[in-house]
Amino acid sequence: MNTSFTTRPSWAPTAVLPIADIKPLTVCESSHPNLNEQQLAALTPLAGHTLINSGAGTGKSTVLVARMQTILWKCPKAKILMLTFSRKAALELKARIGFTPNCQVSTFHSIAYHLLMANGFSQYRVDTNEASRDQLISRLIGKEDTTIEQVVRSLNRLSDIDATTEKIKAKYFNALIKSRLLTFDTMQPFALKLLLKEENVLHQLQDTWDFILVDEYQDTDEVQQRFIELMSAKSNNVCVVADIRQAIYSFRGAEPAIVSTFATTAKVHELTVNYRSTPPIIGLANKIMPNEPPLIAASSDMSSYPQYLTAIDEADEASHIIQQIRKLHRDGIKYRDMAVLYRSSSLSEAILPQLLEAKVPFVCKSHVSLKFSRQPYLGIIKLINYALLPIENNFKAIMPFLYLGKYLLKDIKALAKKESLDYLAAAQKLPLPYFHLDYLASMSQALDSISPSTATSSAINTLLKAGYGKYIGEVLVPVIRAWSEELTEYGNLTTFMTKLYALQEQVKQIQANATQHHNDCVQLMTIHASKGLEFNTVFLIGCYDGALPSTRDGVDQEEERRLLYVAVTRAKKNLYISYPTNSNNSTDENKASRFLQEAFSVAN
């Protein structure tokens, strides 16, 4: 076992350390003097379909901008659309190209939104709350054989959807239209339906752009693919940049196979010279993805190799990481140039309190692992809060779960004061339908039975039976039951709520840290959130089988492999990979990620 970071992992003591081939930096004499031979070749042909396979750190944005400039140089009147997947990426592209009248940079969502607003949807309200989306879908599912996740994944798909899920999807779309509501997930499918239905709108859109350039094409879903096909049907000039090794968004509906389909009609270019990382880091990335073209290092910096740690447990892992962060900071590396990455937010729980205690400034770029801060967990917490402390604010917080409108609060307070009742007892004095009163009586009895000494799992199951299970819907009840089993370690509610308040206080301190230290903070984020970013130093934690790759049912193992590749290629100079031998979510000893073990078994 490696009890400290070392370049040679204990699980591969004799393996040859991976190193990428090195290609000295060379540029071509041309109108684009900063491009290498591969990048320059990727600027042609301008017409037709072009696919640029661009590995991590190979300068895809540089090539995309150069291609746009080349189009305007050769076709000054051409109108260009550059499409990205996030507002951040769009802003970065806009900053790089400056003011270019004939070029529009946009996201898919923005194009869809403005198309809808201009064609009959201007009176629709936009709701981006995922909890309300899930509640509506749950009600529509009822007893049908599908899940919220399956329905959400189907929203931006056009094929391979089972009949039941397709039926609920249609009901969901109809419910939104009836309520004059748009959600983040439905803007693009609604816009596509509009284009397929209204030929004049489609023709107007097709006349708007002569060339379409698409970034991160491996993240495209079927709706977006069809959108691009329709928009470009007249000009047929589409250039896409993709890296199949970074296809990690299947949970959003992305279909990596779309890249292969596009390639059948496209001129294909390969960008393989990496300008970001050192040869040892690139070498490891290549071994993780042995079936893809290997990247070549532009740098000859061999001053550091990836280092590995097999920790005793999660606390020990966190301790070693913090020691290394502090050492690197003393050596002159700024906190903001360091990142801690993980497969899921739960893996960061051990490091948060230790970072706070060590007074290392940090900020969480992805969601802090407080799942009970959102539905369906949040309702349980609010109900427990009221049971333990039945004050006005706590009662107001549970009124939605009791189907009581806020307009009734005034009458409830008056009754409570007049008859010396608690708020829930007063609510039962209102002239409500008998079935509503029965529901209130059931919830009241359950809440009265809960005290600080009640077992946490028992309190949760009592509330489910009393009516909260009916409120959240049959599909979500097993989710809450599974959660209650996870909480058995906390014993009674006093222990659990103390832990909860401590975690909430941690979140406040994290936010205060970020404010106090401005931008000089260690970045904590999921691997998914890190895509597109780069750091001098990366710590990849929880890199063991069961976590990375996740072994949950339905998880695509090849996508998990690509996740590891993305994490490794975020590092420019220093890469630290660790995992705990013992962890809270496993009774067996953890083993190093199978992808790492395979990487060290692949011959150089």
Side-chain angles (χ1 to χ4, degrees):
M1 178 185 297
N2 298 129
T3 54
S4 60
F5 279 108
T6 176
T7 56
R8 187 167 294 284
S10 58
W11 36 267
T14 60
V16 177
L17 297 178
I19 301 174
D21 291 337
I22 299 171
K23 179 174 182 176
L25 177 61
T26 58
V27 294
C28 302
E29 292 186 10
S30 68
S31 56
H32 297 284
N34 295 322
L35 302 185
N36 65 31
E37 293 175 0
Q38 291 179 340
Q39 294 169 334
L40 189 63
L43 301 186
T44 55
L46 294 180
H49 285 188
T50 304
L51 167 62
I52 304 173
N53 283 325
S54 178
T58 58
K60 66 177 180 61
S61 296
T62 298
V63 173
L64 208 59
V65 171
R67 193 174 176 95
M68 179 273 296
Q69 293 169 338
T70 303
I71 292 171
L72 292 180
W73 175 54
K74 294 190 175 183
C75 311
K77 294 183 179 180
K79 293 165 290 186
I80 304 170
L81 173 64
M82 301 180 79
L83 279 172
T84 72
F85 285 82
S86 70
R87 184 172 178 272
K88 178 177 177 291
L91 290 173
E92 288 175 354
L93 266 180
K94 286 180 181 178
R96 293 185 71 155
I97 69 174
F99 177 67
T100 308
N102 283 21
C103 180
Q104 179 179 344
V105 180
S106 181
T107 64
F108 282 96
H109 275 97
S110 180
I111 290 289
Y113 174 77
H114 286 98
L115 190 64
L116 291 170
M117 291 301 104
N119 293 281
F121 287 77
S122 58
Q123 300 302 313
Y124 276 55
R125 182 170 60 88
V126 178
D127 183 0
T128 58
N129 188 313
E130 291 185 1
S132 59
R133 175 200 68 189
D134 291 354
Q135 287 177 5
L136 173 56
I137 292 174
S138 176
R139 289 200 294 271
L140 294 173
I141 289 173
K143 296 183 178 180
E144 298 281 4
D145 185 22
T146 188
T147 66
I148 293 173
E149 182 181 1
Q150 286 176 286
V151 175
V152 171
R153 284 171 63 94
S154 75
L155 298 180
N156 285 283
R157 297 179 67 175
L158 302 175
S159 63
D160 196 25
I161 307 172
D162 66 86
T164 303
T165 301
E166 184 68 66
K167 181 173 73 172
I168 302 302
K169 172 184 173 180
K171 285 185 177 181
Y172 178 59
F173 283 171
N174 289 334
L176 293 180
I177 291 172
K178 185 176 180 180
S179 302
R180 302 178 76 79
L181 195 65
L182 285 174
T183 69
F184 193 75
D185 309 273
T186 56
M187 287 181 192
Q188 293 174 75
F190 278 7
L192 178 59
K193 286 176 179 290
L194 174 69
L195 293 181
L196 292 172
K197 182 180 179 182
E198 304 290 343
E199 283 192 12
N200 61 319
V201 177
L202 174 59
H203 293 158
Q204 183 180 5
L205 191 67
Q206 290 172 340
D207 290 335
T208 304
W209 296 290
D210 302 306
F211 293 86
I212 298 176
L213 309 180
V214 187
D215 195 11
E216 304 286 6
Y217 192 67
Q218 76 279 351
D219 297 334
T220 307
D221 59 44
E222 289 180 315
V223 167
Q224 291 163 339
Q225 179 195 33
R226 186 70 178 123
F227 215 97
I228 293 169
E229 289 173 350
L230 290 173
M231 286 195 298
S232 64
K234 185 175 181 180
S235 69
N236 201 37
N237 297 324
V238 182
C239 173
V240 304
V241 179
D243 183 6
I244 203 68
R245 290 161 290 199
Q246 297 189 67
I248 59 173
Y249 291 126
S250 66
F251 67 92
R252 295 181 185 171
E255 292 285 349
I258 287 173
V259 177
S260 302
T261 302
F262 186 85
T264 60
T265 61
K267 169 65 177 177
V268 180
H269 295 281
E270 298 285 345
L271 301 184
T272 60
V273 182
N274 179 291
Y275 293 95
R276 175 186 299 159
S277 308
T278 63
I281 291 174
I282 299 171
L284 176 61
N286 287 339
K287 296 304 181 187
I288 291 169
M289 302 294 297
N291 297 324
E292 297 296 330
L295 298 180
I296 302 167
S299 167
S300 58
D301 181 4
M302 302 290 292
S303 60
S304 63
Y305 284 72
Q307 296 195 40
Y308 305 87
L309 167 71
T310 305
I312 298 169
D313 53 26
E314 290 160 329
D316 183 51
E317 180 184 28
S319 176
H320 279 88
I321 289 168
I322 292 166
Q323 287 177 32
Q324 195 62 33
I325 287 173
R326 297 177 77 172
K327 180 182 182 301
L328 291 167
H329 188 252
R330 288 195 300 269
D331 291 342
I333 299 177
K334 294 186 179 298
Y335 286 127
R336 65 170 172 265
D337 293 331
M338 298 184 240
V340 179
L341 308 183
Y342 34 83
R343 171 63 176 83
S344 61
S345 293
S346 60
L347 295 170
S348 68
E349 287 183 352
I351 199 170
L352 293 179
Q354 289 201 39
L355 283 168
L356 289 168
E357 185 178 348
K359 301 190 185 311
V360 172
F362 70 97
V363 60
C364 289
K365 293 291 186 181
S366 50
H367 186 71
V368 180
S369 54
L370 288 176
K371 65 182 179 183
F372 31 76
S373 65
R374 60 186 187 274
Q375 284 292 77
Y377 312 96
L378 182 60
I380 288 285
I381 299 301
K382 289 184 175 181
L383 287 163
I384 290 173
N385 270 332
Y386 178 77
L388 300 181
L389 188 62
I391 60 176
E392 181 181 335
N393 282 343
N394 287 346
F395 180 72
K396 285 169 64 176
I398 68 169
M399 288 180 72
F401 314 124
L402 303 175
Y403 300 101
L404 295 171
K406 292 294 174 68
Y407 66 92
L408 293 171
L409 183 60
K410 184 178 179 180
D411 293 340
I412 292 171
K413 287 172 65 177
L415 279 168
K417 183 176 182 180
K418 179 181 179 181
E419 301 188 23
S420 299
L421 301 170
D422 63 48
Y423 294 106
L424 189 48
Q428 295 175 70
K429 296 281 188 177
L430 295 174
L432 299 171
Y434 74 91
F435 54 84
H436 195 171
L437 291 173
D438 286 347
Y439 177 79
L440 291 178
S442 177
M443 290 295 284
S444 178
Q445 184 178 1
L447 290 166
D448 286 343
S449 71
I450 294 172
S451 70
S453 61
T454 303
T456 305
S457 57
S458 174
I460 292 172
N461 286 315
T462 297
L463 291 169
L464 279 176
K465 292 176 184 177
Y468 188 69
K470 183 178 181 180
Y471 176 84
I472 62 176
E474 190 176 316
V475 175
L476 292 177
V477 169
V479 175
I480 295 297
R481 291 202 189 281
W483 181 51
S484 73
E485 292 176 9
E486 293 175 15
L487 299 179
T488 52
E489 65 181 278
Y490 290 110
N492 60 33
L493 286 175
T494 298
T495 305
F496 171 64
M497 296 306 283
T498 300
K499 174 68 173 178
L500 172 62
Y501 296 144
L503 287 173
Q504 290 173 334
E505 186 59 33
Q506 281 183 11
V507 173
K508 291 179 183 177
Q509 290 185 50
I510 291 167
Q511 294 167 340
N513 255 337
T515 302
Q516 179 183 353
H517 296 275
H518 303 290
N519 293 324
D520 195 21
C521 299
V522 177
Q523 314 289 307
L524 270 68
M525 65 187 77
T526 62
I527 299 171
H528 285 99
S530 75
K531 187 168 171 289
L533 304 177
E534 59 182 43
F535 303 92
N536 173 285
T537 301
V538 166
F539 292 88
L540 176 58
I541 66 175
C543 201
Y544 61 90
D545 255 31
L548 182 61
S550 169
T551 51
R552 289 184 292 108
D553 290 344
V555 172
D556 181 349
Q557 292 300 297
E558 285 308 302
E559 182 163 319
E560 295 292 295
R561 180 190 296 278
R562 297 193 291 268
L563 263 178
L564 179 57
Y565 169 85
V566 168
V568 166
T569 54
R570 297 313 92 196
K572 294 196 289 186
K573 184 175 178 62
N574 302 310
L575 174 63
Y576 299 88
I577 298 177
S578 61
Y579 74 93
T581 303
N582 303 292
S583 56
N584 293 332
N585 60 350
S586 176
T587 55
D588 299 323
E589 282 195 357
N590 298 321
K591 304 295 182 185
S593 169
R594 68 190 68 173
F595 303 139
L596 285 176
Q597 295 189 57
E598 289 172 9
F600 274 77
S601 67
V602 174
N604 279 307

